[in-house]
């Protein structure tokens, strides 16, 4: 068997196109333009590159964005004052605090100080609790992208045995919550799971969010399963040239799975598309407008 490749790049591009149309309609009909404030503390080069690529996608969707760059020595009180200012600014619909933050700042306290209605990353404890309670919430972008990709293969995931490997607050746990909401029977595996290959082999839908290159092997996969690989790992490729691989051994897995996301070009592009979707949703909610069908 050779798996169907879930082309996250083109699925994300289509989604971004639909979001851009909805944004244009929102601006034309209600004179409201979504706007994301990005808060960047220090000058971590990876964060700077990431923030630049987000800004490009936001502009292409017809949304606005601006950066609040703060020095690496910023203390928690100073950062909280900036967040308070952005919370109060009616023109700002979404606030993104780029992680990691410098060690003198407690990231949990900072995330908790963002207005939950503007928490387009979906990390605020109120949004986490709402998701866990089955209430409408702003949902973390990468997990939302994972579920959207799985639903391009299966219109309903109800009754699926889903295994999520990884239990981080950013990926593993919210993916599991979303799959539970889709009526999957969900197992969350992690570094202390006994006989991980056997647990994975039960999965109709396997989500790998481990952060370790090519951990999930071909013989861990149930024939015909759908595999969503969240991992992004930089390893040495041919002639020592760096290349990106996922948490799943792609060639082995693709020979057994029914459908699989590649790395790169799978989950990655969906993350920014889902950030735009969250921002559009947040903007509509803040202005008392019905959410457009996307
Ligand atoms: P974390 O390091 O926060 O979490 C990793 C999880 O994997 C932990 O729960 C850990 O278990 C588990 N784990 C580690 N080793 C093993 C193992 N050998 N067997 C089973 N479980 C293991 O990572 P993140 O959740 O933040 O990210 C996961 C991956 O997803 C990374 O490669 C990251 O780069 C990528 N990522 C991709 C995004 C995208 O846009 N595509 C966005 C965000 C992340 P334990 O809890 O027991 O330690």
């Amino acid at each position: 068997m050779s798996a169907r490749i879930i082309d996250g790049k083109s699925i994300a591009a289509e989604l971004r196109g639909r979001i851009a149309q909805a944004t244009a309609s929102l601006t034309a009909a209600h004179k409201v333009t979504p706007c994301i404030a990005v808060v960047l503390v220090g000058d971590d080069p990876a964060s700077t590159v990431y923030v630049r690529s987000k800004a490009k996608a936001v502009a292409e969707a017809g949304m606005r964005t601006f950066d609040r760059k703060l020095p690496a020595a910023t203390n928690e009180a100073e950062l909280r004052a900036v967040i308070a200012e952005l919370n109060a600014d009616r023109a700002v619909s979404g606030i993104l605090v780029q992680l990691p933050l410098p060690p003198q700042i407690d990231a949990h306290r900072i995330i908790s100080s963002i207005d939950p209605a503007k928490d387009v990353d979906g990390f605020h404890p109120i949004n986490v609790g709402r998701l866990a309670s089955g209430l409408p919430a702003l949902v973390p972008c990468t997990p939302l992208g994972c579920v959207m990709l799985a639903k391009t293969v299966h219109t309903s995931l109800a009754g699926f045995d889903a295994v999520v490997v990884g239990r981080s607050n950013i990926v593993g746990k919210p993916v599991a919550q979303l799959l539970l909401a889709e009526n999957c029977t969900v197992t969350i595996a992690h570094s202390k799971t006994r006989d991980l290959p056997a647990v994975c082999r039960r999965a109709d839908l396997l989500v790998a969010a481990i952060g370790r290159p090519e951990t999930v092997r071909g013989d861990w996969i149930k024939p015909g399963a759908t595999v969503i690989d969240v991992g992004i790992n930089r390893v040495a490729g041919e002639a020592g040239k760096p290349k990106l691989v996922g948490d799943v051994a792609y060639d082995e897995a693709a020979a057994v799975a029914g459908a699989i996301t590649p790395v790169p070009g799978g989950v990655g592009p969906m993350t920014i598309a889902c950030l735009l979707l969250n921002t559009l949703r947040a903007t509509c909610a803040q202005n008392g407008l019905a959410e457009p069908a996307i």
Side-chain angles (χ1 to χ4, degrees), residues 188-203:
I188 306 175
H190 46 76
S191 67
K192 306 290 185 294
T193 296
R194 280 195 209 133
D195 200 355
L196 185 60
V199 172
C200 291
R201 270 193 291 270
R202 294 205 303 260

Side-chain angles (χ1 to χ4, degrees), residues 88-157:
D89 186 342
R90 285 183 54 84
V92 171
S93 24
I95 302 170
L96 274 186
V97 177
Q98 188 61 41
L99 301 175
L101 289 168
Q104 71 274 18
I105 297 176
D106 182 307
H108 289 290
R109 278 201 295 265
I110 291 300
I111 289 166
S112 301
S113 72
I114 297 173
D115 178 349
K118 296 188 178 186
D119 168 41
V120 285
D121 260 338
F123 295 156
H124 191 290
I126 294 268
N127 282 316
V128 174
R130 290 181 70 87
L131 173 62
S133 305
L135 296 169
L138 286 167
V139 170
C141 304
T142 302
L144 184 57
C146 291
V147 176
M148 286 177 131
L149 290 179
K151 290 183 82 173
T152 64
V153 182
H154 310 279
T155 43
S156 168
L157 301 174

Side-chain angles (χ1 to χ4, degrees), residues 136-252:
L138 286 167
V139 170
C141 304
T142 302
L144 184 57
C146 291
V147 176
M148 286 177 131
L149 290 179
K151 290 183 82 173
T152 64
V153 182
H154 310 279
T155 43
S156 168
L157 301 174
F160 276 42
D161 272 320
V163 173
V164 180
V165 190
R167 56 174 164 180
S168 71
N169 292 333
I170 292 175
V171 190
K173 283 181 199 155
V175 168
Q177 292 288 358
L178 287 169
L179 293 175
L180 194 57
E182 293 290 335
N183 296 312
C184 294
T185 303
V186 182
T187 302
I188 306 175
H190 46 76
S191 67
K192 306 290 185 294
T193 296
R194 280 195 209 133
D195 200 355
L196 185 60
V199 172
C200 291
R201 270 193 291 270
R202 294 205 303 260
D204 303 308
L205 172 60
L206 180 64
V207 180
I210 306 168
R212 288 173 195 271
E214 301 178 325
T215 303
V216 175
R217 311 307 309 189
D219 63 357
W220 297 21
I221 290 166
K222 181 174 177 175
T226 297
V227 178
I228 307 289
D229 188 353
V230 186
I232 303 176
N233 307 288
R234 197 173 292 274
V235 298
E238 273 171 40
K241 240 178 101 182
K243 66 166 186 171
L244 294 182
V245 298
D247 292 342
V248 177
Y250 182 82
D251 289 341
E252 289 177 21

